[in-house]
């Protein structure tokens, strides 16, 4: 059951549902400028107030800018909560969370996956000194694979029409 929205919290009914839903993972998906970052920051703050440390959460965004903005907004909200709170225990809890922000798993999906792979490379059978392929490397590899495929299949009549389509 979703609790009543606190007075003063600017959120639509759907936003409040996303903030207050508990007991399972949550995917927040909406268009740019619709308040996703605000919703996630409020959700994180509620988790903190409920006794969950920020480093126990995984918050994944699509851009580095969004992850950075979320951490900055969270820092600002925690500082504001420390100033407003009269509960010394809660103030200490918020202060502890401020210290945990740099190590919190608030990142892009790519960054999160890189951390997992770097930590567990041996389970995935990956070289521990792997690097991410950049766009140019990707284009070169694509070209290399295309040439190899072309050499292998070019002489086979059933693929002649396919190659004519792609090679023009």
């Amino acid at each position: 059951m979703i609790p009543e929205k606190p007075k003063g919290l600017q959120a639509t009914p759907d936003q409040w549902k996303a903030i207050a839903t508990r007991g399972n993972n949550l995917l927040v998906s909406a268009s740019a400028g619709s308040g996703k970052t605000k919703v996630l920051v409020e959700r994180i703050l509620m988790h903190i107030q409920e006794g969950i440390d920020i480093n126990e959460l995984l918050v994944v965004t699509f851009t580095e800018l969004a992850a950075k903005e979320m951490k900055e907004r969270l820092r600002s909200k925690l500082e504001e909560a420390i100033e407003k709170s009269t509960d010394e225990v809660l103030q200490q809890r918020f202060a502890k969370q401020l210290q945990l922000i740099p190590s919190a798993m608030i990142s892009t999906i790519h960054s999160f996956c890189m951390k997992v792979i770097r930590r567990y490379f041996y389970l995935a059978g990956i070289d521990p000194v792997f690097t991410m392929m950049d766009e140019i490397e990707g284009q070169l590899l694509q070209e290399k694979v295309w040439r190899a495929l072309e050499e292998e299949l070019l002489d086979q009549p059933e693929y002649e029409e396919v190659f004519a389509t792609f090679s023009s």
Side-chain angles (χ1 to χ4, degrees), residues 85-167:
S85 179
T86 56
D87 181 340
E88 193 174 317
V89 173
L90 199 52
Q91 285 177 330
Q92 289 174 355
R93 174 144 192 72
F94 290 146
K96 177 185 175 191
Q97 301 312 303
L98 274 173
Q99 294 173 338
L100 293 174
I101 287 177
S103 62
M105 286 302 298
I106 299 174
S107 66
T108 64
I109 187 77
H110 292 87
S111 179
F112 171 70
C113 290
M114 287 284 287
K115 286 178 185 176
V116 170
I117 292 169
R118 288 204 191 285
R119 186 170 192 172
Y120 299 106
F121 66 90
Y122 56 94
L123 294 174
I126 296 174
D127 185 338
V129 292
F130 75 94
T131 59
M132 289 287 288
M133 184 182 301
D134 66 25
E135 189 176 339
I136 293 172
E137 290 171 318
Q139 289 171 348
L140 291 172
L141 179 60
Q142 185 177 9
E143 194 173 309
K144 180 180 176 182
V145 169
W146 177 251
R147 277 197 229 114
L149 184 63
E150 198 173 34
E151 286 177 22
E152 184 178 323
L153 300 176
L154 194 56
D155 294 331
Q156 298 180 24
E158 62 266 29
Y159 293 106
E160 194 171 311
E161 188 177 315
V162 173
F163 278 106
T165 303
F166 285 106
S167 49

Side-chain angles (χ1 to χ4, degrees), residues 48-59:
I48 290 170
Q49 289 173 342
E50 293 164 2
I52 297 172
D53 285 339
I54 193 172
N55 60 351
E56 295 177 46
L57 301 173
L58 170 62
V59 182

Side-chain angles (χ1 to χ4, degrees), residues 64-82:
E64 291 290 340
L65 183 63
K68 182 180 176 189
E69 181 181 344
M70 191 172 306
K71 284 184 175 185
E72 287 171 2
R73 283 194 196 181
L74 188 56
R75 178 179 307 285
S76 175
K77 284 283 200 174
L78 284 168
E79 288 170 348
E80 183 181 310
I82 290 169

